[in-house]
Amino acid sequence: QLVESGGGSVQAGGSLILSCEASGSGFSISSMGWYRRTTGKERELIATITSEDSANVRDSLKGRFAIFRDAAKNTTFLQINNLKPEDTGNYSCNAMCYDYAFDDSGSYRRYLEVWGQGTLVTVSS
């Protein structure tokens, strides 16, 4: 299960840190990502981070968005600086989870993609 938090109403130029906490057992997480759906646009990928802390941010959002995580707390964060009205939207995180299964060839990973409910960000000018 993924639970996002940290959204809210802010004025343009402000900053927010969104959190995505993963809970559950039986699976490991290979990577997590933040997405958003803004007014009139399709859902877009913002940033991803792997379990090895390899982080990537969408080119058009670099400079204002940063992704990082606290592995001990199973939490991934999205920091947004210099917020703009066009950043208004629903921000959600997902996780690529996996466990191991076995067949005649040996063990292999089974992947499961999990989504959170999202947190709303509203930026006023």
Side-chain angles (χ1 to χ4, degrees):
Q1 181 181 3
L2 300 178
V3 178
E4 300 96 334
S5 62
S9 297
V10 296
Q11 288 195 323
S15 298
L16 281 176
I17 296 179
L18 309 181
S19 302
C20 175
E21 182 178 4
S23 63
S25 61
F27 283 86
S28 299
I29 297 175
S30 63
S31 66
M32 295 185 72
W34 279 97
Y35 291 73
R36 69 177 182 180
R37 191 187 302 273
T38 56
T39 303
K41 294 187 176 181
E42 298 288 324
R43 184 175 64 194
E44 66 174 348
L45 173 64
I46 301 170
T48 60
I49 188 166
T50 70
S51 57
E52 292 80 33
D53 286 323
S54 176
N56 283 287
V57 177
R58 188 183 190 91
D59 285 347
S60 61
L61 300 176
K62 286 181 179 177
R64 295 196 302 122
F65 289 72
I67 187 170
F68 55 98
R69 72 188 189 110
D70 183 337
K73 297 181 179 180
N74 288 324
T75 301
T76 298
F77 303 92
L78 181 70
Q79 181 168 352
I80 315 171
N81 297 320
N82 189 23
L83 279 153
K84 303 177 180 181
E86 53 264 40
D87 293 323
T88 295
N90 186 276
Y91 288 70
S92 57
C93 67
N94 88 337
M96 288 303 296
C97 307
Y98 66 92
D99 67 355
Y100 288 95
F102 299 87
D103 63 13
D104 292 341
S105 301
S107 66
Y108 62 95
R109 286 187 179 184
R110 294 185 303 186
Y111 285 93
L112 173 68
E113 188 173 25
V114 180
W115 287 89
Q117 292 296 312
T119 184
L120 185 62
V121 173
T122 303
V123 184
S124 57
S125 57

